Amino acid sequence: MATPVPSLQALSHAGVSVWLDDLSRTRITSGSLNDAIETMSVVGVTTNPTIFAAALAGDGYDEAVAELAAKGVSVDEAIDVLTTQDVAEACDILLPVYQATGGEDGRVSIEVPPHLAHDTEGTVEYAKKLHAMVDRDGVMIKIPATEEGLLAITRVIAEGISVNVTLIFSLDRYRKVVEAYVNGLERAREQGHDISSIRSVASIFVSRVDTEFDNRIDELVNSGADKELLELKGRAGLANCHLAHRIASEIFDSERFTVLAAAGAHKQRPLWASTGTKNPQYSDTMYVDGLITADTVNTMPEKTMVAFADHGEVNGDTVFGQYEEADRILDALSVAGVHYGDVMEKLEREGLEKFDASWNELVETVTTALEKAK
């Protein structure tokens, strides 16, 4: 058996579940996913329209596409079949992890189509459809944290389906996400579901937050603001996550959740997403180094995972004890004129636009492949 990389093994021992933010048929069939499990301490996988668009444009799908073309399926049907097959096979590979962790890890996420982001009913029905198509205990359905998505999260959780809530930026929205999860657990219990089988993570985006805050800091300094403001560059993303962690601690330590926990409920874990560093001047592991604490997930693109494997270090908890400093950072940015609410609204809007663009690319890729296979 391959030897685990020490730095990633230490991260895992610190209570951070390492999930890979990538999936493709080639990664499955080549043994690459197995290797990542054995050597990189990977215990889960996340996907999104961008990842599937890139995967389906690559190798490994010719035979499956040809079969679908022969059946005359629609493009949307082909996308569902191809993506859920990949997710189901990844779940099978991760089944030993799922069993060893009691369902906490060994998870693979698949997202409802982005055009449903503002359609509660459509999201609920598609989530149930994807859950049935994958038909594996380890699957998690990704639902974006729009206002309409919050209602869908509660209803999908109430059906006993595990959910990965994605595209979370603001602390206010994150608090509502946690509330939606708790509401769903209470309804699931009322409906007779075994709530101990339900798991959820809340994907809080990191690097995109820094990118937008940094741009606004630069604009202010270029317009004559004090250059000391530059010291806050690259600090908003981690601060936002640290304060999200404080919210989680407050809610999951509450009397309301204690009642659910006694019935078998699990806490919804914060998942640090968008952890690839976008600014080359910053450390390529900063969104791993600064988010080490128990009962969390860090989903990493392969480049970030390899970087942490090479030179990442685990030196204790880097989240607890940071709440006060995080408050100071966001307060200082607000006083300087970087408006938190404006930033977060823009990031959510752009995030949905990016998912839409990736979905359109995915549709074009599959359309072309089906036509060639006829």
Side-chain angles (χ1 to χ4, degrees):
M1 186 173 178
T3 303
V5 173
S7 56
L8 286 163
Q9 189 174 47
L11 187 65
S12 179
H13 288 165
V16 180
S17 291
V18 179
W19 289 10
L20 174 66
D21 193 29
D22 189 52
L23 185 64
S24 68
R25 189 67 50 89
T26 301
R27 188 177 286 280
I28 291 168
T29 58
S30 68
S32 172
L33 179 55
N34 267 317
D35 290 343
I37 294 167
E38 292 184 4
T39 64
M40 306 294 249
S41 298
V42 167
V43 292
V45 171
T46 50
T47 68
N48 58 43
T50 302
I51 287 171
F52 278 129
L56 291 169
D59 298 326
Y61 295 92
D62 290 348
E63 184 177 342
V65 169
E67 291 178 2
L68 292 170
K71 294 178 181 178
V73 303
S74 69
V75 173
D76 287 344
E77 289 172 323
I79 290 172
D80 284 344
V81 171
L82 293 169
T83 57
T84 56
Q85 283 179 348
D86 280 2
V87 170
E89 290 186 32
C91 283
D92 291 341
I93 292 171
L94 282 157
L95 181 59
V97 175
Y98 178 91
Q99 294 171 331
T101 62
E104 179 173 71
D105 288 310
R107 295 288 182 170
V108 185
S109 298
I110 183 169
E111 190 164 343
V112 296
H115 68 266
L116 296 173
H118 298 296
D119 179 352
T120 298
E121 192 66 38
T123 295
V124 172
E125 292 307 310
Y126 221 103
K128 291 159 65 174
K129 175 184 175 180
L130 290 175
H131 184 262
M133 289 185 73
V134 176
D135 194 25
R136 300 291 191 278
D137 291 336
V139 68
M140 271 187 165
I141 308 303
K142 288 180 80 173
I143 298 174
T146 58
E147 290 290 349
E148 297 84 357
L150 295 172
L151 299 173
I153 291 159
T154 293
R155 289 176 55 184
V156 173
I157 291 290
E159 294 281 345
I161 296 172
S162 295
V163 173
N164 175 344
V165 185
T166 189
L167 213 66
I168 304 170
F169 294 102
S170 76
L171 295 172
D172 178 65
R173 186 61 56 84
Y174 174 63
R175 185 180 290 277
K176 291 178 180 177
V177 165
V178 181
E179 290 286 346
Y181 171 60
V182 174
N183 289 340
L185 287 176
E186 290 173 339
R187 292 191 191 180
R189 187 184 181 197
E190 291 170 0
Q191 295 173 20
H193 289 290
D194 174 12
I195 61 174
S196 69
S197 68
I198 302 171
R199 298 281 185 165
S200 183
V201 294
S203 298
I204 304 161
F205 284 49
V206 195
S207 64
R208 294 188 196 181
V209 172
D210 271 337
T211 298
E212 185 60 28
F213 270 99
D214 285 0
N215 288 340
R216 298 193 182 204
I217 290 171
D218 286 336
E219 289 174 2
L220 287 171
V221 171
N222 290 336
S223 298
D226 195 319
K227 289 186 177 181
E228 288 186 1
L229 187 59
L230 294 172
E231 296 178 2
L232 296 177
K233 289 183 67 173
R235 304 191 67 186
L238 290 176
N240 198 54
C241 289
H242 294 161
L243 295 179
H245 188 269
R246 181 171 65 184
I247 290 171
S249 299
E250 291 171 354
I251 294 177
F252 291 121
D253 287 341
S254 68
E255 182 177 346
R256 179 186 180 192
F257 188 77
T258 299
V259 172
L260 289 167
H266 301 281
K267 297 177 181 180
Q268 181 188 59
R269 290 185 292 170
L271 180 152
W272 317 125
S274 181
T275 56
T277 308
K278 293 178 172 56
N279 188 331
Q281 295 180 348
Y282 297 158
S283 164
D284 53 4
T285 62
M286 67 181 287
Y287 301 124
V288 184
D289 303 335
L291 293 170
I292 299 174
T293 193
D295 298 321
T296 57
V297 179
N298 196 309
T299 184
M300 308 178 206
E302 187 172 35
K303 183 178 179 181
T304 301
M305 191 174 293
V306 170
F308 195 83
D310 179 66
H311 50 267
E313 295 183 357
V314 177
N315 296 307
D317 194 301
T318 57
V319 176
F320 275 112
Q322 299 300 315
Y323 300 158
E324 185 175 338
E325 176 64 5
D327 274 327
R328 186 195 71 79
I329 290 168
L330 294 188
D331 286 346
L333 286 165
S334 178
V335 169
V338 184
H339 300 294
Y340 182 88
D342 290 346
V343 170
M344 297 306 173
E345 286 178 12
K346 180 180 179 183
L347 288 172
E348 180 178 309
R349 183 175 66 253
E350 290 182 344
L352 290 170
E353 289 171 355
K354 288 175 182 177
F355 277 176
D356 277 333
S358 295
W359 188 264
N360 291 337
E361 182 183 348
L362 176 57
V363 169
E364 290 177 10
T365 299
V366 174
T367 299
T368 300
L370 288 170
E371 289 175 351
K372 286 182 178 180
K374 290 179 181 178

